[in-house]
Coordinates of all heavy atoms in Angstrom, one line a residue:
G30 N 0.8 -1.2 0.0 CA 0.0 0.0 0.0 C 0.9 1.3 0.0 O 2.0 1.3 -0.4
N31 N 0.3 2.3 0.4 CA 0.9 3.6 0.5 C 2.2 3.6 1.4 O 3.2 4.2 1.1 CB 0.0 4.7 0.9 CG -1.0 5.0 -0.2 OD1 -0.8 4.7 -1.3 ND2 -2.1 5.7 0.2
S32 N 2.1 2.9 2.5 CA 3.2 2.9 3.4 C 4.4 2.1 2.8 O 5.6 2.5 3.0 CB 2.8 2.3 4.8 OG 2.5 1.0 4.7
D33 N 4.1 1.1 2.0 CA 5.2 0.4 1.3 C 5.9 1.3 0.3 O 7.1 1.3 0.3 CB 4.7 -0.8 0.6 CG 4.2 -1.9 1.5 OD1 4.7 -2.0 2.6 OD2 3.4 -2.7 1.1
E34 N 5.2 2.1 -0.4 CA 5.7 3.1 -1.3 C 6.5 4.2 -0.6 O 7.6 4.5 -1.0 CB 4.6 3.7 -2.2 CG 5.2 4.6 -3.3 CD 4.1 5.2 -4.2 OE1 3.1 4.4 -4.4 OE2 4.3 6.3 -4.7
A35 N 6.0 4.6 0.5 CA 6.7 5.6 1.3 C 8.0 5.1 1.8 O 9.0 5.8 1.8 CB 5.8 6.1 2.5
V36 N 8.0 3.8 2.3 CA 9.3 3.2 2.8 C 10.3 3.1 1.7 O 11.5 3.4 1.9 CB 9.0 1.9 3.5 CG1 10.2 1.1 3.7 CG2 8.2 2.0 4.8
E37 N 9.8 2.7 0.5 CA 10.7 2.6 -0.6 C 11.3 3.9 -1.0 O 12.5 4.1 -1.2 CB 10.0 2.0 -1.8 CG 10.9 1.8 -3.0 CD 10.2 1.1 -4.2 OE1 9.2 0.3 -4.0 OE2 10.5 1.4 -5.3
N38 N 10.5 5.0 -1.0 CA 11.0 6.3 -1.3 C 12.0 6.8 -0.3 O 13.0 7.4 -0.6 CB 9.8 7.3 -1.5 CG 9.0 7.0 -2.7 OD1 9.4 6.4 -3.6 ND2 7.7 7.5 -2.7
L39 N 11.7 6.6 1.0 CA 12.6 7.0 2.0 C 13.9 6.2 2.0 O 15.0 6.8 2.1 CB 11.9 6.8 3.4 CG 10.8 7.7 3.8 CD1 10.0 7.2 5.0 CD2 11.4 9.1 4.1
N40 N 13.9 5.0 1.7 CA 15.1 4.2 1.5 C 15.9 4.7 0.4 O 17.2 4.8 0.5 CB 14.8 2.7 1.4 CG 14.5 2.0 2.7 OD1 15.0 2.4 3.7 ND2 13.6 1.1 2.7
E41 N 15.3 5.1 -0.7 CA 16.0 5.7 -1.9 C 16.6 7.0 -1.5 O 17.8 7.3 -1.9 CB 15.1 5.8 -3.1 CG 14.7 4.5 -3.7 CD 13.7 4.7 -4.8 OE1 13.4 5.8 -5.3 OE2 13.1 3.6 -5.2
A42 N 15.9 7.8 -0.8 CA 16.4 9.1 -0.3 C 17.6 8.9 0.6 O 18.6 9.6 0.4 CB 15.3 9.9 0.4
I43 N 17.5 8.0 1.5 CA 18.6 7.7 2.4 C 19.9 7.3 1.7 O 21.0 7.8 1.9 CB 18.2 6.7 3.5 CG1 17.2 7.3 4.5 CG2 19.4 6.2 4.3 CD1 16.4 6.3 5.3
S44 N 19.6 6.5 0.7 CA 20.8 6.0 -0.2 C 21.4 7.2 -0.9 O 22.6 7.3 -1.0 CB 20.3 5.0 -1.2 OG 21.3 4.6 -2.0
S45 N 20.6 8.1 -1.4 CA 21.1 9.3 -2.1 C 21.9 10.2 -1.1 O 22.9 10.7 -1.5 CB 19.9 10.1 -2.7 OG 19.3 9.4 -3.7
Y46 N 21.4 10.4 0.1 CA 22.1 11.2 1.1 C 23.4 10.5 1.4 O 24.5 11.2 1.6 CB 21.3 11.4 2.4 CG 20.0 12.1 2.1 CD1 18.8 11.7 2.7 CD2 20.0 13.3 1.4 CE1 17.6 12.4 2.4 CE2 18.8 14.0 1.1 CZ 17.7 13.6 1.7 OH 16.5 14.3 1.4
N47 N 23.4 9.2 1.5 CA 24.7 8.5 1.8 C 25.7 8.7 0.7 O 26.9 8.9 0.9 CB 24.5 7.0 2.0 CG 23.8 6.7 3.3 OD1 24.0 7.4 4.3 ND2 23.1 5.5 3.4
S48 N 25.2 8.7 -0.6 CA 26.1 8.9 -1.7 C 26.6 10.3 -1.7 O 27.8 10.5 -1.9 CB 25.3 8.7 -3.0 OG 24.9 7.3 -3.2
A49 N 25.8 11.3 -1.4 CA 26.3 12.7 -1.3 C 27.3 12.8 -0.2 O 28.3 13.5 -0.4 CB 25.1 13.6 -1.0
L50 N 27.1 12.1 0.9 CA 28.1 12.2 2.0 C 29.4 11.5 1.7 O 30.4 11.9 2.3 CB 27.4 11.6 3.3 CG 26.3 12.5 3.9 CD1 25.5 11.8 4.9 CD2 26.8 13.8 4.4
E51 N 29.4 10.5 0.8 CA 30.6 9.9 0.4 C 31.4 10.9 -0.4 O 32.7 11.0 -0.2 CB 30.3 8.7 -0.5 CG 29.9 7.5 0.3 CD 29.6 6.3 -0.5 OE1 30.0 6.2 -1.7 OE2 28.8 5.4 -0.1
V52 N 30.8 11.7 -1.2 CA 31.4 12.8 -2.0 C 31.9 13.9 -1.1 O 33.0 14.4 -1.2 CB 30.5 13.3 -3.1 CG1 31.1 14.5 -3.8 CG2 30.2 12.1 -4.1
N53 N 31.0 14.3 -0.2 CA 31.3 15.5 0.7 C 30.9 15.1 2.1 O 29.7 15.4 2.5 CB 30.7 16.7 0.2 CG 31.1 17.9 1.1 OD1 31.8 17.8 2.1 ND2 30.6 19.1 0.6
P54 N 31.8 14.6 3.0 CA 31.4 14.2 4.3 C 31.1 15.3 5.3 O 30.7 15.2 6.4 CB 32.5 13.3 4.8 CG 33.7 13.6 3.9 CD 33.1 14.1 2.6
E55 N 31.3 16.6 4.8 CA 31.1 17.8 5.6 C 29.8 18.5 5.2 O 29.6 19.6 5.6 CB 32.3 18.7 5.5 CG 33.6 18.1 5.9 CD 33.6 17.8 7.4 OE1 33.2 18.7 8.2 OE2 34.0 16.7 7.8
L56 N 28.9 17.8 4.5 CA 27.7 18.4 4.1 C 26.6 18.2 5.1 O 25.9 17.2 5.2 CB 27.2 17.7 2.8 CG 26.2 18.4 1.9 CD1 26.5 19.8 1.5 CD2 25.9 17.5 0.7
A57 N 26.5 19.2 6.0 CA 25.6 19.2 7.1 C 24.1 19.0 6.7 O 23.4 18.2 7.3 CB 25.7 20.4 8.0
E58 N 23.7 19.6 5.6 CA 22.4 19.5 5.1 C 22.0 18.1 4.8 O 20.9 17.6 5.0 CB 22.1 20.4 3.9 CG 20.7 20.4 3.5 CD 20.5 21.4 2.3 OE1 21.4 22.2 2.0 OE2 19.4 21.4 1.8
A59 N 23.0 17.3 4.2 CA 22.7 15.9 3.9 C 22.5 15.1 5.1 O 21.7 14.2 5.2 CB 23.8 15.4 3.0
Y60 N 23.3 15.4 6.2 CA 23.1 14.6 7.4 C 21.8 15.0 8.0 O 21.1 14.1 8.5 CB 24.2 15.0 8.4 CG 25.5 14.3 8.2 CD1 26.6 15.0 7.7 CD2 25.7 13.0 8.5 CE1 27.8 14.3 7.5 CE2 26.9 12.3 8.3 CZ 28.0 13.0 7.8 OH 29.2 12.4 7.6
N61 N 21.4 16.2 8.0 CA 20.1 16.6 8.5 C 19.0 16.0 7.8 O 18.0 15.4 8.4 CB 20.0 18.1 8.5 CG 18.8 18.6 9.3 OD1 18.7 18.4 10.5 ND2 17.9 19.3 8.6
N62 N 19.0 16.0 6.4 CA 18.0 15.4 5.6 C 17.9 13.9 5.8 O 16.8 13.3 5.9 CB 18.2 15.7 4.2 CG 17.9 17.2 3.9 OD1 17.3 17.9 4.6 ND2 18.5 17.7 2.7
K63 N 19.1 13.3 5.9 CA 19.1 11.8 6.2 C 18.5 11.5 7.5 O 17.7 10.6 7.7 CB 20.6 11.3 6.2 CG 20.8 9.9 6.5 CD 22.2 9.5 6.5 CE 22.4 8.1 7.0 NZ 23.9 7.7 7.0
A64 N 18.8 12.3 8.5 CA 18.2 12.1 9.9 C 16.7 12.3 9.8 O 15.9 11.5 10.4 CB 18.8 13.1 10.9
N65 N 16.2 13.3 9.1 CA 14.7 13.4 8.9 C 14.1 12.2 8.3 O 13.0 11.7 8.7 CB 14.4 14.7 8.1 CG 14.7 15.9 8.9 OD1 14.6 16.0 10.2 ND2 15.0 17.0 8.3
A66 N 14.8 11.7 7.2 CA 14.2 10.5 6.5 C 14.2 9.3 7.4 O 13.3 8.5 7.4 CB 15.0 10.3 5.2
L67 N 15.3 9.1 8.2 CA 15.4 8.0 9.1 C 14.3 8.1 10.2 O 13.7 7.1 10.6 CB 16.8 7.9 9.7 CG 17.9 7.4 8.8 CD1 19.3 7.8 9.4 CD2 17.8 5.9 8.6
L68 N 14.1 9.3 10.7 CA 13.1 9.5 11.7 C 11.7 9.2 11.1 O 10.9 8.5 11.8 CB 13.1 11.0 12.2 CG 12.1 11.3 13.3 CD1 12.4 10.5 14.5 CD2 12.3 12.8 13.7
T69 N 11.4 9.6 9.9 CA 10.1 9.3 9.3 C 10.0 7.8 9.1 O 8.9 7.2 9.4 CB 9.9 10.0 8.0 OG1 10.0 11.4 8.2 CG2 8.6 9.7 7.3
L70 N 11.1 7.2 8.6 CA 11.1 5.7 8.4 C 10.8 5.0 9.8 O 10.1 4.0 9.8 CB 12.4 5.3 7.8 CG 12.5 3.9 7.3 CD1 11.5 3.6 6.3 CD2 13.9 3.7 6.8
A71 N 11.5 5.5 10.8 CA 11.3 4.9 12.1 C 9.8 5.0 12.6 O 9.3 4.0 13.2 CB 12.2 5.5 13.2
Q72 N 9.2 6.1 12.3 CA 7.8 6.3 12.7 C 6.9 5.3 11.9 O 6.0 4.7 12.5 CB 7.4 7.7 12.5 CG 8.1 8.7 13.4 CD 7.9 10.2 13.0 OE1 7.6 10.5 11.8 NE2 8.0 11.0 14.0
I73 N 7.2 5.1 10.6 CA 6.4 4.2 9.8 C 6.6 2.8 10.4 O 5.6 2.0 10.5 CB 6.7 4.3 8.3 CG1 6.3 5.6 7.8 CG2 6.1 3.1 7.6 CD1 6.8 5.9 6.4
E74 N 7.8 2.4 10.6 CA 8.1 1.1 11.1 C 7.5 0.8 12.5 O 7.0 -0.3 12.7 CB 9.6 0.8 11.1 CG 10.2 0.8 9.7 CD 11.7 0.9 9.6 OE1 12.3 1.4 10.6 OE2 12.2 0.5 8.6
A75 N 7.5 1.8 13.3 CA 6.9 1.7 14.6 C 5.4 1.4 14.5 O 4.8 0.6 15.2 CB 7.1 2.9 15.5
R76 N 4.8 2.1 13.6 CA 3.3 1.9 13.3 C 3.1 0.5 12.8 O 2.0 -0.1 13.0 CB 2.8 2.9 12.3 CG 2.5 4.2 12.9 CD 1.8 5.1 12.0 NE 2.7 6.3 11.9 CZ 3.1 6.9 10.8 NH1 2.7 6.6 9.7 NH2 3.9 8.0 10.9
R77 N 4.1 -0.1 12.1 CA 3.9 -1.4 11.6 C 4.4 -2.5 12.6 O 4.5 -3.6 12.3 CB 4.8 -1.6 10.3 CG 4.4 -0.8 9.1 CD 5.4 -1.0 8.1 NE 4.8 -0.9 6.8 CZ 5.5 -1.1 5.6 NH1 6.7 -1.5 5.7 NH2 4.9 -1.0 4.5
R78 N 4.7 -2.0 13.8 CA 5.2 -2.9 14.8 C 6.6 -3.5 14.6 O 6.9 -4.5 15.1 CB 4.2 -3.9 15.2 CG 2.8 -3.4 15.5 CD 2.1 -4.3 16.5 NE 0.8 -3.8 16.7 CZ 0.5 -3.0 17.8 NH1 1.4 -2.6 18.6 NH2 -0.8 -2.6 17.9
K79 N 7.3 -2.8 13.8 CA 8.7 -3.2 13.6 C 9.6 -2.4 14.5 O 10.4 -1.6 14.1 CB 9.1 -3.0 12.1 CG 8.4 -3.9 11.2 CD 9.0 -3.8 9.8 CE 8.3 -4.7 8.8 NZ 8.8 -4.5 7.4
I80 N 9.4 -2.7 15.8 CA 10.1 -1.9 16.8 C 11.6 -1.9 16.7 O 12.3 -0.9 16.8 CB 9.6 -2.3 18.2 CG1 8.1 -2.2 18.3 CG2 10.3 -1.5 19.3 CD1 7.5 -0.8 18.1
D81 N 12.1 -3.1 16.5 CA 13.6 -3.2 16.4 C 14.2 -2.3 15.2 O 15.2 -1.7 15.4 CB 14.0 -4.7 16.1 CG 13.8 -5.6 17.3 OD1 13.7 -5.0 18.5 OD2 13.7 -6.8 17.2
E82 N 13.5 -2.4 14.1 CA 13.9 -1.5 13.0 C 13.7 0.0 13.3 O 14.6 0.8 12.9 CB 13.2 -1.9 11.7 CG 13.6 -3.2 11.1 CD 15.0 -3.1 10.6 OE1 15.4 -2.1 9.9 OE2 15.8 -4.1 10.8
A83 N 12.7 0.3 14.0 CA 12.4 1.7 14.4 C 13.5 2.2 15.3 O 14.0 3.3 15.1 CB 11.1 1.8 15.0
V84 N 13.9 1.4 16.3 CA 15.0 1.8 17.2 C 16.3 1.9 16.5 O 17.0 2.9 16.7 CB 15.1 0.8 18.3 CG1 16.3 1.0 19.2 CG2 13.8 0.8 19.2
K85 N 16.6 1.0 15.6 CA 17.8 1.1 14.8 C 17.9 2.4 14.0 O 18.9 3.1 14.0 CB 17.9 -0.1 13.8 CG 19.1 -0.1 12.9 CD 19.0 -1.2 11.9 CE 19.9 -1.0 10.7 NZ 19.7 -2.0 9.7
N86 N 16.8 2.8 13.3 CA 16.7 4.0 12.5 C 16.7 5.2 13.4 O 17.3 6.2 13.0 CB 15.5 4.0 11.6 CG 15.8 3.1 10.4 OD1 16.9 3.1 9.8 ND2 14.8 2.3 10.0
L87 N 16.1 5.1 14.6 CA 16.2 6.3 15.5 C 17.6 6.6 15.9 O 18.1 7.7 16.0 CB 15.3 6.1 16.7 CG 13.8 6.3 16.5 CD1 13.1 5.8 17.7 CD2 13.5 7.7 16.2
K88 N 18.4 5.5 16.2 CA 19.8 5.6 16.6 C 20.6 6.2 15.5 O 21.4 7.1 15.7 CB 20.4 4.3 17.0 CG 19.9 3.8 18.4 CD 20.4 2.5 18.7 CE 19.9 2.0 20.1 NZ 20.4 0.6 20.4
Q89 N 20.3 5.8 14.2 CA 21.0 6.3 13.1 C 20.7 7.8 12.9 O 21.5 8.6 12.5 CB 20.7 5.5 11.8 CG 21.4 4.2 11.8 CD 21.1 3.4 10.6 OE1 20.3 3.8 9.7 NE2 21.7 2.2 10.4
A90 N 19.4 8.1 13.1 CA 18.9 9.5 13.0 C 19.7 10.4 13.9 O 20.1 11.5 13.6 CB 17.4 9.6 13.2
I91 N 19.8 10.0 15.2 CA 20.5 10.8 16.2 C 22.0 11.0 15.8 O 22.5 12.1 15.9 CB 20.4 10.1 17.6 CG1 19.0 10.1 18.1 CG2 21.4 10.7 18.6 CD1 18.7 9.2 19.3
K92 N 22.6 9.9 15.3 CA 24.0 10.1 14.8 C 24.1 11.1 13.7 O 25.0 11.9 13.7 CB 24.6 8.7 14.4 CG 24.9 7.8 15.5 CD 25.4 6.5 14.9 CE 25.7 5.5 16.0 NZ 26.2 4.2 15.5
S93 N 23.1 11.1 12.8 CA 23.2 12.0 11.7 C 22.9 13.4 12.1 O 23.6 14.4 11.7 CB 22.1 11.6 10.6 OG 22.6 10.4 9.9
Y94 N 21.9 13.6 13.0 CA 21.7 14.9 13.6 C 22.9 15.5 14.3 O 23.3 16.6 14.1 CB 20.5 14.9 14.6 CG 19.1 15.0 13.9 CD1 18.2 14.1 14.3 CD2 18.8 15.9 13.0 CE1 16.9 14.1 13.8 CE2 17.5 15.9 12.4 CZ 16.6 15.0 12.8 OH 15.4 15.0 12.3
N95 N 23.6 14.6 15.1 CA 24.8 15.0 15.8 C 25.9 15.4 14.9 O 26.6 16.4 15.1 CB 25.2 13.9 16.8 CG 24.3 13.8 18.0 OD1 23.7 14.8 18.4 ND2 24.3 12.6 18.6
R96 N 26.1 14.7 13.8 CA 27.1 15.0 12.8 C 26.8 16.3 12.2 O 27.7 17.2 11.9 CB 27.3 13.9 11.8 CG 28.4 14.1 10.8 CD 29.7 14.1 11.5 NE 30.7 14.3 10.5 CZ 31.7 15.2 10.5 NH1 31.8 15.9 11.6 NH2 32.6 15.3 9.6
A97 N 25.5 16.6 11.8 CA 25.1 17.8 11.2 C 25.5 19.0 12.1 O 26.0 20.0 11.7 CB 23.7 17.8 10.9
L98 N 25.2 18.8 13.4 CA 25.5 19.8 14.4 C 27.0 20.1 14.6 O 27.4 21.2 14.9 CB 24.9 19.5 15.7 CG 23.3 19.7 15.8 CD1 22.8 19.1 17.1 CD2 22.9 21.1 15.6
E99 N 27.8 19.0 14.5 CA 29.2 19.1 14.6 C 29.8 20.0 13.4 O 30.6 20.8 13.6 CB 29.9 17.8 14.5 CG 29.8 17.0 15.7 CD 30.3 15.5 15.5 OE1 31.0 15.3 14.5 OE2 30.1 14.7 16.5
I100 N 29.2 19.8 12.2 CA 29.6 20.5 11.0 C 29.1 21.9 11.0 O 29.8 22.9 10.7 CB 29.2 19.8 9.8 CG1 29.9 18.4 9.7 CG2 29.5 20.6 8.5 CD1 29.3 17.5 8.7
N101 N 27.8 22.1 11.4 CA 27.2 23.4 11.3 C 26.4 23.6 12.6 O 25.2 23.4 12.6 CB 26.3 23.5 10.1 CG 25.8 24.8 9.8 OD1 26.1 25.8 10.5 ND2 24.9 24.9 8.9
P102 N 27.0 24.1 13.7 CA 26.3 24.3 14.9 C 25.3 25.4 14.8 O 24.4 25.7 15.3 CB 27.3 24.6 15.9 CG 28.7 24.6 15.3 CD 28.4 24.4 13.8

């Protein structure tokens, strides 16, 4: 359904942010956007009762937000 398409789109976006960060690891905006996508993905997964995946993505989101803040406080 719609949530499957949303998850696919978010995973594609996260992959794109990872690619951008490989090119420029100091791109704070990419870390911030990646964190936002991971947070949204975690919320969808939590609704689907995939708590383990949600927690994993929340931890990754926090790391991405922290890296963005290190680069651009």
Side-chain angles (χ1 to χ4, degrees):
N31 289 341
S32 67
D33 290 334
E34 186 175 328
V36 167
E37 183 177 328
N38 291 340
L39 287 166
N40 283 324
E41 288 175 13
I43 292 165
S44 179
S45 294
Y46 297 133
N47 286 334
S48 295
L50 290 166
E51 285 179 20
V52 173
N53 183 357
E55 298 297 311
L56 193 57
E58 186 175 353
Y60 281 106
N61 190 60
N62 291 342
K63 177 182 173 181
N65 287 333
L67 287 163
L68 182 59
T69 301
L70 190 58
Q72 291 168 337
I73 290 169
E74 289 165 342
R76 280 185 238 135
R77 291 176 153 187
R78 304 213 183 263
K79 293 185 178 181
I80 301 303
D81 291 337
E82 285 296 313
V84 169
K85 175 184 163 191
N86 284 317
L87 283 171
K88 288 178 180 179
Q89 289 180 352
I91 290 167
K92 286 180 183 179
S93 290
Y94 280 130
N95 286 337
R96 183 66 179 129
L98 287 171
E99 288 172 8
I100 295 167
N101 187 9

